[in-house]
Amino acid sequence: MLRRHFPIPKILPNGVISRMAFPPEGIFCVLSVGKMLESVRNKQESCGKMLESVRNERETVKNKEESCGKVQEFVGNEQESCGKRVPSYTQCLDLRKFVRMGSISCVLSLELDEKCRKTWYFARRFSVLSLFCMLIFLVGCNSSRLTRSRLPSPWKMAHFPRYSATFDFYSEPTQVLLRTLSLDKKVNKNPKRVLETLNEAFQESPRLDLLGMMAEVSFMEGKRQVKSRRFPELAQRNAAEWHLRAARYSYEYLFHAQWEGVRNPYEPLFQRVSRIYNESSEQILRLAGYEDDEISFEKNGSIIIDLPDAPRAIPLRMRSVEWCIADFTYFRFASDFEVTGLRNRYRRYGLGVPLVARCRSIHQKPTRYRYCLQELCVPMTAFLRFSEEGVPEMEIIDTMECNVAEVGNIRVPLEIDYTTPLAYSFELTLEKNALDGATLGLLSPDALLKETEDGTRQLKGIYMPQAYDAEKIPVVMIHGLWSSAMTWMEMYNTLNNLPILREKYQFWFYFYPNGQPFWVSAAQLRDDLNALRHELDPTRENAHMDQMVLVGHSMGGLVALLQTIDSQERFWNLITATPVEQLPGTPESNQEVARWFHTVPNPSVNCVITLGTPFKGSGYANKTTRGLTGIMGKKATLVETNLDKFREENQKFIQNEQLLDFYTALDSLQKDSIFWSALLESTPAPWVTYYNVVAHLKADDAGSHSDGVVSVESATLPWATQEYNVTALHREITNNAEAILSVARILAERLENNSKNEHNP
């Protein structure tokens, strides 16, 4: 008969309750209930005193209402504000942050007059700038916290504990066996003798559970040595030896052919041994020269691990078609980082140690690396192997090429972290080249037309998170107004980690000065796509490049749309009826302006997906926002020079200057622009399929639905084959789960249709 009992906790000499005295699920007792009740009564009395003090402060604040009249719009109604600070009994416990030396430090203190004067000065000094930022925020499409709040990078990493697979107790099967062999009291005092006893028992009668228990005993002792503070150098060498033993026993448990029909992957011990193998492999790498948060390798391609008797070299082998060890500046552990700017961290669980490998110089690689991020980081996994004689070898596997390791006839799924290298790569690139420059691109477009730090290209252009793959279909993501490539990180992180999409698509980002009219940016994208195709596929034989997909958010949707329509003379006739060849102005300036208003479908583009795009303009592109943007920003120098020359030299031939009289991108998005009717009357390319995602919230004052910036009427595209409706704010569409799922469904359906067409020509 089983009886539930509560054991008395074991109290150590220093007064700490030993966790070893409790069963594995943990039962925590309180030593003195009387003291706890007395503490609760004291807290009740303290809360009563705090309530009385808050009421007194409330009366003080009421007397200050008249002196705070100038800052009512900043501090609100003082009576309501202080009233909210009178807490209930349960809220009093949260007032500890306001308690100093037994008294409450109220936010509105007796020095309120001085604060009022400082706040009023601040309001007068920055009122125009605040209004500008507020209005632009409403219009903007940027979803990156970096730009909105000017906080440190959202991709900033924070260290995890050294042991990611933490368990402090032996498993239940191991405890049972240790008690059976009368070793339970010796395992902590003399683990080497316990391991020898288990090994002798294993030699007499080989059993798989004994092998797993030897791995567990070795791992627990290695972990204890790492945490030891006495003789740290000796402890490190001992820890390395114990973890090497744990990894070897685990490897034999998981892969030895002797146990092929005995291993049970559903058994808890099997899962525990798998974790021990991963953790021991990681600790071996850490103890073998992990300096300055980087894994250091010897020139001969090995790692040196210090053991108690003598140092030992573990050979290193790179398994990759593209890379070798010398191609990387350093390796770091993915478990050392926490990605704080993305909601989801995508991992593939298996065996091995996920690494972040930073490339040394991508410009020394083949042409298909030409458009990669400057600070490219590749996901790798370290896999520790052992020969039959027990000789270790560390294999570094490129997980972008292969996600399994083969041990004999066993295919082992690798442990892979896809998100951390992506976030780390973008963080390094952002720090060097300001690819998060949403505000910079809006107010100073010239800054994005300069060269990168290494001088190899302009900041503007197409960026690839991985090298160009001729066997995959390109998907180009184009950001909108007051935004950057960072706005796509959440969507890209999800789409690229869906196996069916990752195997068939490659995702690119287009970064451009969003402060210029969208027809200028569309002309630049047209040139950039043609240059990329000429460089990567000069013979135009790659069929995957002819299935290119463009995904555009907000103004980026207009930039994408203009890649696929034949405007003929429709846009040009809005300015002048005279052909560009007959204009008397400078040919260079005439041709540049004409390039903006003559669009020809790009034969490489096969699909366009637009999200929250204003096909009829936006009401937020009004005189106020356009005026404030004009005050704070400036035109791109090259655009302004060509435009001024064109207007000055061809003044007699210009019939309508509306499309030429612009200063920023907001001027091109106003609702009364003559461009919209001509756009929707243009001829779309017959081979292009259009999909549209419309966001909406609730009806505005005029009774029309919108996403807060673009009305549903303006966001509707008549050419769309299929339209999806999602509930989201305009600036959050690219992060919205419904929108991401819609884009994923579109891409998956296109793969299915392409497969059907191949089988039924």
Side-chain angles (χ1 to χ4, degrees), residues 79-129:
Q79 185 175 1
E80 293 180 2
S81 176
C82 193
K84 292 179 181 179
R85 289 182 171 82
V86 180
S88 62
Y89 166 71
T90 57
Q91 292 171 330
C92 284
L93 298 178
D94 294 330
L95 287 176
R96 290 171 299 190
K97 65 181 70 174
F98 300 107
V99 177
R100 292 181 180 177
M101 300 301 291
S103 62
I104 295 180
S105 180
C106 189
V107 175
L108 300 175
S109 64
L110 296 177
E111 299 177 355
L112 195 57
D113 287 337
E114 181 66 21
K115 291 186 178 181
C116 289
R117 288 192 293 270
K118 293 181 179 179
T119 307
W120 180 242
Y121 170 77
F122 176 83
R124 289 187 302 174
R125 181 70 177 82
F126 298 102
S127 58
V128 175
L129 181 60

Side-chain angles (χ1 to χ4, degrees), residues 76 220-221 287 320 323 402 411 421 443 504 596 623 629 750:
M220 294 296 288
E221 179 59 21
L287 294 170
S320 174
W323 307 98
C402 181
R411 290 175 59 85
L443 302 180
K504 298 296 182 179
W596 305 340
K623 292 183 179 180
T629 309
R750 291 190 61 77

Side-chain angles (χ1 to χ4, degrees), residues 626-683:
R626 289 188 285 120
L628 288 172
T629 309
I631 294 173
M632 301 296 295
K634 58 182 179 180
K635 290 182 184 178
T637 303
L638 186 60
V639 173
E640 184 177 16
T641 301
N642 289 314
L643 190 61
D644 290 344
K645 280 187 179 181
F646 180 84
R647 296 178 65 178
E648 181 181 352
E649 298 172 350
N650 304 300
Q651 188 63 44
K652 295 181 180 180
F653 297 88
I654 297 176
Q655 300 173 351
N656 192 325
E657 295 192 8
Q658 186 188 66
L659 300 183
L660 302 177
D661 188 17
F662 62 82
Y663 201 86
T664 65
L666 282 175
D667 294 326
S668 66
L669 296 173
Q670 51 187 316
K671 293 185 65 175
D672 58 353
S673 174
I674 60 177
F675 192 88
W676 306 123
S677 58
L679 174 66
L680 297 177
E681 292 172 1
S682 300
T683 305

Side-chain angles (χ1 to χ4, degrees), residues 331-508:
F331 292 80
R332 302 187 69 175
F333 294 102
S335 61
D336 278 349
F337 302 112
E338 179 185 6
V339 182
T340 60
L342 297 172
R343 289 196 295 263
N344 301 320
R345 181 174 182 174
Y346 290 95
R347 298 173 63 96
R348 187 179 185 272
Y349 293 97
L351 296 181
V353 183
L355 303 175
V356 178
R358 182 182 177 183
C359 302
R360 187 175 301 277
S361 178
I362 61 172
H363 304 296
Q364 299 175 1
K365 301 295 289 181
T367 307
R368 64 194 197 89
Y369 287 88
R370 162 79 170 77
Y371 293 90
C372 287
L373 295 172
Q374 283 82 3
E375 301 298 330
L376 182 64
C377 294
V378 182
M380 297 276 181
T381 295
F383 187 76
L384 184 62
R385 296 176 180 268
F386 288 88
S387 64
E388 294 183 359
E389 295 78 17
V391 179
E393 180 188 46
M394 187 69 71
E395 185 179 23
I396 307 296
I397 303 174
D398 183 357
T399 53
M400 296 304 297
E401 298 178 2
C402 181
N403 55 17
V404 296
E406 295 184 0
V407 181
N409 59 349
I410 302 176
R411 290 175 59 85
V412 185
L414 293 174
E415 180 100 358
I416 306 173
D417 188 329
Y418 290 110
T419 301
T420 302
L422 167 71
Y424 190 66
S425 180
F426 265 90
E427 179 174 338
L428 294 177
T429 305
L430 293 181
E431 290 177 355
K432 282 198 170 185
N433 293 313
L435 287 183
D436 61 324
T439 304
L440 194 65
L442 175 68
L443 302 180
S444 182
D446 281 340
L448 272 62
L449 300 177
K450 66 181 182 180
E451 291 185 346
T452 57
E453 188 178 83
D454 53 18
T456 56
R457 57 175 297 183
Q458 284 185 327
L459 279 173
K460 172 193 72 68
I462 297 173
Y463 288 86
M464 303 180 185
Q466 289 100 29
Y468 166 70
D469 190 344
E471 300 299 322
K472 294 183 180 180
I473 301 172
V475 179
V476 185
M477 296 180 163
I478 310 166
H479 63 80
L481 179 69
W482 200 30
S483 186
S484 70
M486 297 298 293
T487 194
W488 296 108
M489 287 300 98
E490 194 71 55
M491 181 177 291
Y492 168 72
N493 186 43
T494 300
L495 298 180
N496 194 53
N497 282 283
L498 296 175
I500 188 174
L501 301 183
R502 184 175 63 246
E503 293 173 2
K504 298 296 182 179
Y505 290 105
Q506 53 186 322
F507 296 90
W508 305 344

Side-chain angles (χ1 to χ4, degrees), residues 731-743:
R731 63 181 179 274
E732 297 176 354
I733 298 176
T734 55
N735 295 339
N736 180 266
E738 292 180 80
I740 295 174
L741 182 61
S742 300
V743 175

Side-chain angles (χ1 to χ4, degrees), residues 187-325:
V187 68
N188 291 328
K189 297 180 179 179
N190 193 352
K192 185 173 292 188
R193 179 55 188 160
V194 171
L195 189 62
E196 291 175 356
T197 303
L198 291 175
N199 195 18
E200 292 172 0
F202 179 79
Q203 297 298 330
E204 293 178 3
S205 176
R207 288 166 45 191
L208 184 62
D209 58 343
L210 283 174
L211 199 58
M213 292 168 191
M214 286 192 288
E216 189 171 355
V217 170
S218 301
F219 174 77
M220 294 296 288
E221 179 59 21
K223 184 175 179 179
R224 189 182 70 83
Q225 290 289 341
V226 168
K227 294 183 177 181
S228 176
R229 296 184 179 181
R230 297 183 61 185
F231 310 106
E233 294 184 1
L234 178 61
Q236 275 197 346
R237 292 196 292 270
N238 291 334
E241 183 180 28
W242 283 105
H243 278 299
L244 196 59
R245 289 177 180 174
R248 180 183 175 183
Y249 290 138
S250 302
Y251 188 86
E252 293 182 3
Y253 180 99
L254 296 170
F255 304 119
H256 200 284
Q258 180 181 358
W259 317 109
E260 187 170 351
V262 182
R263 283 185 292 264
N264 180 7
Y266 302 102
E267 188 179 9
L269 183 59
F270 183 95
Q271 300 172 12
R272 194 175 183 92
V273 170
S274 299
R275 295 175 66 187
I276 289 174
Y277 169 81
N278 285 351
E279 195 62 43
S280 295
S281 300
E282 181 172 332
Q283 291 303 320
I284 289 171
L285 280 173
R286 290 188 184 278
L287 294 170
Y290 187 55
E291 300 175 357
D292 298 328
D293 295 335
E294 300 173 7
I295 306 174
S296 60
F297 298 132
E298 298 296 318
K299 293 182 179 180
N300 59 354
S302 63
I303 57 175
I304 304 299
I305 182 170
D306 289 332
L307 300 178
D309 50 355
R312 184 172 185 177
I314 299 179
L316 204 65
R317 180 164 61 94
M318 173 68 74
R319 184 173 138 196
S320 174
V321 176
E322 293 289 336
W323 307 98
C324 62
I325 294 294

